[in-house]
Amino acid sequence: MAKSRLSGTPSKEEVVERTAKKKPSTVTGTNLTPTTKPSVKKTTKLSSPLPKTTQIEEVEANYITDNGTSTPSDTPTNPTLETHLNNEITASLTPTSSPSTVKIACDLREFNDYIQTLKSIIPSNTSHPILCNILIEADAENQQLHLTGYNLEFGMQVNFDANVNQPGKLTLPAPILADILGKFPNGRLTLKSSFEIIKGSDIPSVSATLSSSNSKHVIRGLAADEFPTIPSVKQKLVTLPASVLIAVLKASLFAVTSEETKRILMGANFQLSHDADRRLNQLRVWTTDGHRVAMIVGLSESSNSQFLNFQTVNFTVPAKVLRVLERSVNASDKVTIYYDGSAEQASKFVAFEWNNLRLTAQLLEGNYPKCDQIIAPYRSELSHQIVVERLSFLKALERLATHSDKSHITAIFDFDLEAQQVRASLNNTLSSGTETVDAKLWGCDFRLKCDIRYLIDTIKAVSSSDLRLLMATPTAPLLIVPFGTPASGTEALECEYVVAPQE
């Protein structure tokens, strides 16, 4: 007979019912009593693979212990610790820190051309692996692909049309990406990215599959969130024909120094102003290495911007940036220069924009030497002059330079007023040479000594058919200017070159 619930033992039926309620779940595989310390076991591996969303949900349902194993989240734990760990996991899985899947299709040749251009600015040795990558951003709204390369000193961005089926971003290593694309056949390229969270790490593993015709290659990359942001430069200064800018750079960059101890001289000093007389914007570029000076003036058509009408701005751009610019633009392009500084407040960055490309660079800090003051004291005394055919003079000096070495670099120039000739000679311990060139001479009643290397580099930079050399004394700076007809296909520029003589 059954006992009372208040006074005695429960019936047999009640015992069976309570036991059934306490039976552990078959999913976790544990058999714990309420007083038993929970054991730590790995999450049961399912026989069929799960999609990535299911794997992420599985991670969210567990917290990570100090030794890296997972423990069921329904196990009694310290609430403070549980809250802290769950917050960390949730934060690591939010869209802001996890890569988004990208799926695009575009013209392979166009994509490859831009990747090859960006590869030229990627550093070969860096302690930041992300800087060896190119940032790829798929914009579904505008149906465009944005590519970015950045080495913390300067960066290049490009936008072009593509079929964006799924927006997102990722980064891929530039060297292997450029190498693979360069060997793909022409046609359409499909890029699809994927990511997974590697066991024991919170960092997602990013990869991209590149497909074209019968080719399919997978490249592992890095999350785009790690890629540094290129500074924005918004104030438009001037728009120049690329042909003018190319001519200016070709005529000036040879005089830039490569010595790290003279960092400010490792760039070209840009001075931008408005020429009121000709109603044109003017770009004046100075370069010097301490032994020679180049000053080049380029003029552009007038623009709607009134900024340069009231002030002149100047800044120094690293030569390596300008060489990338010179290689990347076409003579038929228009190049717009952006700079957020002013005559009173300097800026740290400048940007050059043409077509769908933009090159942003950090400027060199410091005061550039006032190069015009080198020759200014002698301008009224430049009564000794020589006019000579440029190419014949250059060939003569190059033949003479075969006798030069580190200790024998000085060429000696004698002037024959009667014969109207210039005689140049160079001697070393093993050999010597003499070259005579016809010229038109005025004055020149002394002997001149110059470093033959500096003369050759300067003459190569000049594009005209003839040269005009002006001198005050044998020890005063030598002024060289173009004379005669400009070379075919080049802009007529205002140029001046100064070469220091040898004692």
Side-chain angles (χ1 to χ4, degrees):
M1 188 172 68
K3 297 284 186 181
S4 168
R5 292 185 181 181
L6 295 177
S7 60
T9 305
S11 66
K12 183 177 180 180
E13 292 79 9
E14 289 178 306
V15 171
V16 173
E17 181 181 357
R18 293 181 185 180
T19 303
K21 289 182 178 180
K22 293 181 180 180
K23 188 175 181 180
S25 171
T26 58
V27 175
T28 59
T30 58
N31 187 19
L32 305 177
T33 63
T35 58
T36 305
K37 183 177 180 181
S39 61
V40 179
K41 291 188 177 182
K42 295 182 179 178
T43 304
T44 304
K45 183 177 181 181
L46 301 182
S47 58
S48 60
L50 293 174
K52 289 182 172 57
T53 53
T54 306
Q55 294 176 6
I56 291 175
E57 290 171 359
E58 182 181 356
V59 175
E60 287 179 327
N62 297 274
Y63 68 83
I64 307 301
T65 61
D66 291 339
N67 60 6
T69 59
S70 62
T71 304
S73 59
D74 59 352
T75 305
T77 59
N78 185 319
T80 303
L81 177 61
E82 181 180 11
T83 301
H84 174 69
L85 293 173
N86 285 337
N87 288 341
E88 283 191 352
I89 293 172
T90 302
S92 68
L93 297 173
T94 56
T96 56
S97 61
S98 296
S100 52
T101 303
V102 175
K103 188 175 181 180
I104 63 100
C106 64
D107 181 76
L108 192 148
R109 286 301 100 194
E110 187 176 20
F111 187 57
N112 176 59
D113 289 344
Y114 290 131
I115 291 295
Q116 302 298 336
T117 299
L118 295 181
K119 180 191 172 186
S120 66
I121 72 171
I122 301 300
S124 55
N125 296 314
T126 176
S127 57
H128 306 287
I130 194 69
L131 298 182
C132 296
N133 286 18
I134 289 175
L135 175 64
I136 301 172
E137 299 175 276
D139 181 356
E141 181 178 353
N142 298 308
Q143 287 294 295
Q144 283 194 328
L145 206 58
H146 309 305
L147 307 178
T148 304
Y150 191 30
N151 57 26
L152 298 184
E153 292 184 79
F154 60 99
M156 188 178 288
Q157 299 161 293
V158 60
N159 307 320
F160 64 99
D161 295 335
N163 295 328
V164 179
N165 299 317
Q166 193 162 337
K169 55 185 179 179
L170 75 158
T171 75
L172 295 176
I176 187 171
L177 180 61
D179 196 28
I180 289 175
L181 290 175
K183 294 178 174 59
F184 266 24
N186 291 334
R188 297 289 288 177
L189 173 73
T190 300
L191 184 152
K192 185 177 181 180
S193 71
S194 61
F195 76 95
E196 60 182 348
I197 299 177
I198 300 176
K199 183 179 178 181
S201 172
D202 292 335
I203 301 176
S205 173
V206 182
S207 61
T209 301
L210 306 176
S211 304
S212 178
S213 299
N214 296 323
S215 300
K216 180 182 285 188
H217 296 262
V218 179
I219 304 176
R220 191 173 296 278
L222 294 172
D225 292 342
E226 302 177 29
F227 200 86
T229 302
I230 295 180
S232 175
V233 187
K234 299 179 179 179
Q235 181 171 264
K236 180 178 177 181
L237 284 187
V238 65
T239 298
L240 293 164
S243 56
V244 172
L245 187 58
I246 292 171
V248 168
L249 297 179
K250 285 183 179 296
S252 61
L253 290 182
F254 76 94
V256 173
T257 187
S258 59
E259 297 181 32
E260 292 284 349
T261 55
K262 302 176 182 177
R263 183 162 176 76
I264 191 64
L265 301 185
M266 295 180 71
N269 184 246
F270 278 51
Q271 295 182 7
L272 286 152
S273 61
H274 183 73
D275 188 331
D277 294 335
R278 286 181 275 189
R279 298 181 181 180
L280 295 173
N281 294 320
Q282 178 177 275
L283 168 64
R284 187 187 300 267
V285 173
W286 294 94
T287 57
T288 182
D289 59 2
H291 304 282
R292 56 201 166 170
V293 175
M295 189 285 297
I296 316 297
V297 174
L299 296 171
S300 74
E301 64 271 17
S302 182
S303 66
N304 295 327
S305 175
Q306 300 297 315
F307 184 79
L308 293 178
N309 291 349
F310 304 102
Q311 60 182 316
T312 298
V313 296
N314 75 85
F315 45 81
T316 304
V317 187
K320 56 186 174 182
V321 174
L322 297 174
R323 291 189 176 103
V324 170
L325 178 63
E326 182 185 352
R327 292 194 302 267
S328 303
V329 299
N330 294 317
S332 58
D333 294 335
K334 296 282 188 180
V335 180
T336 301
I337 302 176
Y338 293 82
Y339 176 73
D340 286 341
S342 64
E344 295 77 22
Q345 183 65 44
S347 176
K348 292 185 178 180
F349 297 92
V350 68
F352 301 88
E353 189 173 86
W354 67 101
N355 294 336
N356 55 338
L357 291 108
R358 186 179 179 97
L359 177 63
T360 305
Q362 184 174 348
L363 298 169
L364 296 177
E365 297 183 8
N367 295 322
Y368 202 83
K370 296 181 178 180
C371 298
D372 55 335
Q373 294 183 359
I374 296 174
I375 196 66
Y378 303 98
R379 285 192 182 275
S380 60
E381 303 174 15
L382 298 173
S383 58
H384 305 274
Q385 299 184 32
I386 303 169
V387 174
V388 62
E389 198 273 322
R390 186 187 71 88
L391 190 57
S392 61
F393 192 41
L394 175 61
K395 295 299 183 183
L397 293 180
E398 288 179 332
R399 289 191 294 269
L400 206 59
T402 59
H403 303 287
S404 65
D405 54 34
K406 291 183 179 180
S407 58
H408 300 85
I409 56 176
T410 301
I412 300 175
F413 296 87
D414 293 294
F415 309 108
D416 189 336
L417 291 172
E418 183 177 347
Q420 291 288 288
Q421 290 179 331
V422 176
R423 184 178 297 106
S425 59
L426 193 149
N427 302 312
N428 66 31
T429 55
L430 297 178
S431 63
S432 63
T434 300
E435 291 284 342
T436 302
V437 181
D438 293 334
K440 294 182 179 180
L441 309 177
W442 292 269
C444 304
D445 52 356
F446 51 74
R447 170 178 283 189
L448 182 69
K449 298 180 181 180
C450 282
D451 188 319
I452 195 168
R453 301 168 302 175
Y454 300 148
L455 275 178
I456 289 175
D457 289 345
T458 301
I459 296 171
K460 283 181 177 180
V462 178
S463 61
S464 62
S465 58
D466 301 312
L467 296 175
R468 188 180 182 189
L469 290 74
L470 300 96
M471 301 165 285
T473 67
T475 57
L478 171 67
L479 178 64
I480 302 175
V481 295
F483 191 81
T485 306
S488 176
T490 64
E491 298 289 328
L493 300 171
E494 298 178 28
C495 307
E496 287 189 349
Y497 300 94
V498 178
V499 178
Q502 299 287 309
E503 295 295 337

